[in-house]
Amino acid sequence: MDALTIRNLTKTYANGIRALKGIDLSVEEGDFYALLGPNGAGKTTAIGIISSLVNKTGGTVGIFGHDIDKELEAAKACLGIVPQEVNLNLWETVGNTVANQAGYYGLSGALRQERVEKYLRALRLWDRRDDNARSLSGGMKRRLMIARALVHEPRLLILDEPTAGVDIEIRRSMWDFLREINEAGTTIILTTHYLEEAESLCRNIAIIDGGRIIEDARMSEVLRRLHREVFVLSLKRELTEAPVLRGFETRLRPDCELEVEKGPETDMNELFRQLRDRGIEVASLRNKANRLEEMFMHLVERKGGDA
Ligand code: ADP
């Protein structure tokens, strides 16, 4: 069964910005899924719509089969959200922050207390239960938001940039915790602009850019494609068709150019040997970043810019 099904989702804000231009996504129950993309790609808008904080312009969203337009309460009961911005009542105690959320989902009495303790312990905040949220460090506030999102034990947990600005040690312990709850059966979707985070945690990945999904595949497949190199060869003579070369993909381009794609298992000597055997002479060669690589270079630049 799908934990999340999104069809042709669009969002145009009042200022005319088209944040989502028709996205489709299916996330299976039990998956650990990354939504990766640069700033402004539309990730937060998509999560806002899924959690019914943002009105969509068009399309449908289903959470475990419950359409958010028709069965909002049932959909919400399946969903826990950890937003990017800290949205805690800072004057509330840590314990009450989680207990109030439990109450909102209809938990009461002993069960409510049990859940509050379970998740505050799991996120190493139990000792701080009587302190105001205000007194917590940034990393603890984020953990408190995770405990709050989990207290009604949602089947789908969505985290928006869970480790942005969190130091490396806390990041790793958060990763361990998320892996554990995923293994225990919770479907997890996270947005990130750290490829390393997606690579370490997620089985499947969608890459969103400019309000469109530009990749939706298994993580291993995306990494494999990322490690393919593309070269553009300028040839001395025009070819009528792209040559078939063992271990390489080739495409003809205008102006006597040939594009050659190679994986890590082949080398350039082999490429030149096969070209020579076919009498193809090369005048010059340049490296062409593939689309994914360009995307990630762009992300790294942005990340550098944010720091
Ligand atoms: P991401 O989370 O990937 O950084 P967002 O969903 O926040 O992307 O933003 C997508 C686009 O929508 C951006 O161009 C952003 O400026 C615009 N946007 C986001 N929120 C609003 C809003 N409340 N009003 C107008 N434009 C918005």
Side-chain angles (χ1 to χ4, degrees):
M1 175 176 210
D2 275 354
L4 178 70
T5 315
I6 290 180
R7 292 288 167 261
N8 198 21
L9 188 64
T10 57
K11 173 67 187 179
T12 306
Y13 283 106
N15 60 4
I17 288 184
R18 290 172 66 213
L20 297 175
K21 297 171 183 160
I23 64 169
D24 294 296
L25 267 189
S26 298
V27 178
E28 268 185 39
E29 180 168 17
D31 206 349
F32 204 138
Y33 198 94
L35 197 54
L36 191 88
N39 288 331
K43 305 181 296 295
T44 300
T45 299
I47 288 182
I49 293 170
I50 297 164
S51 50
S52 62
L53 297 172
V54 173
N55 290 324
K56 59 189 164 61
T57 305
T60 59
V61 176
I63 301 170
F64 284 97
H66 304 294
D67 187 316
I68 61 166
D69 291 330
K70 297 175 191 146
E71 300 177 85
L72 183 58
E73 289 312 311
K76 271 188 168 176
C78 298
L79 181 66
I81 296 271
V82 182
Q84 193 178 134
E85 305 292 335
V86 173
N87 66 346
L88 298 164
N89 175 354
L90 297 179
W91 305 100
E92 190 63 90
T93 64
V94 167
N96 283 344
T97 299
V98 181
N100 290 345
Q101 182 83 352
Y104 176 78
Y105 283 98
L107 303 176
S108 59
L111 179 61
R112 170 152 123 177
Q113 281 319 311
E114 195 182 294
R115 290 278 184 85
V116 170
E117 180 167 346
K118 176 176 173 187
Y119 287 102
L120 284 180
R121 283 194 189 281
L123 286 138
R124 292 182 288 116
L125 288 168
W126 180 241
D127 294 347
R128 303 295 299 266
R129 62 190 177 280
D130 296 324
D131 296 340
N132 279 351
R134 185 171 165 269
S135 69
L136 302 180
S137 70
M140 288 174 179
K141 286 190 183 109
R142 217 163 268 274
R143 275 167 19 223
L144 178 55
M145 294 201 296
I146 298 177
R148 184 183 60 179
L150 286 172
V151 75
H152 64 294
E153 303 199 330
R155 296 164 77 188
L156 172 62
L157 178 68
I158 303 185
L159 306 104
D160 194 0
E161 299 271 356
T163 61
V166 166
D167 69 40
I168 192 82
E169 200 181 320
I170 293 177
R171 180 174 300 174
R172 303 239 174 241
S173 72
M174 235 185 235
W175 287 1
D176 289 342
F177 177 74
L178 293 177
R179 269 192 210 105
E180 261 171 48
I181 59 168
N182 176 246
E183 274 159 24
T186 308
T187 308
I188 300 183
I189 301 175
L190 58 83
T191 76
T192 183
H193 56 252
Y194 301 116
L195 177 62
E196 189 204 355
E197 181 157 275
E199 190 179 345
S200 161
L201 292 172
C202 300
R203 281 187 286 282
N204 289 295
I205 180 173
I207 301 177
I208 179 167
D209 194 20
R212 289 184 209 284
I213 302 279
I214 60 167
E215 276 288 345
D216 184 5
R218 296 193 67 76
M219 190 71 221
S220 53
E221 172 62 17
V222 170
L223 290 173
R224 195 183 66 77
R225 252 181 282 158
L226 185 60
H227 293 125
R228 290 184 76 79
E229 286 180 285
V230 184
F231 297 93
V232 178
L233 313 186
S234 181
L235 305 179
K236 289 195 174 165
R237 268 187 309 277
E238 190 95 51
L239 298 177
T240 50
E241 57 184 26
V244 178
L245 305 176
R246 224 173 333 100
F248 302 90
E249 281 175 40
T250 58
R251 289 177 287 275
L252 270 190
R253 293 166 51 110
D255 301 327
C256 258
E257 286 187 336
L258 178 69
E259 202 169 286
V260 178
E261 195 172 325
K262 77 178 261 312
E265 66 286 353
T266 49
D267 65 37
M268 295 305 275
N269 285 333
E270 177 59 22
L271 172 65
F272 281 108
R273 199 185 57 72
Q274 292 193 41
L275 288 171
R276 204 174 44 243
D277 287 352
R278 286 163 182 73
I280 299 170
E281 288 186 79
V282 178
S284 65
L285 164 151
R286 65 190 154 87
N287 200 310
K288 178 183 177 231
N290 69 36
R291 202 166 61 132
L292 273 174
E293 222 181 309
E294 273 170 15
M295 164 93 199
F296 288 120
M297 280 180 338
H298 182 58
L299 286 177
V300 169
E301 279 165 22
R302 295 287 183 103
K303 203 169 83 182
D306 284 352

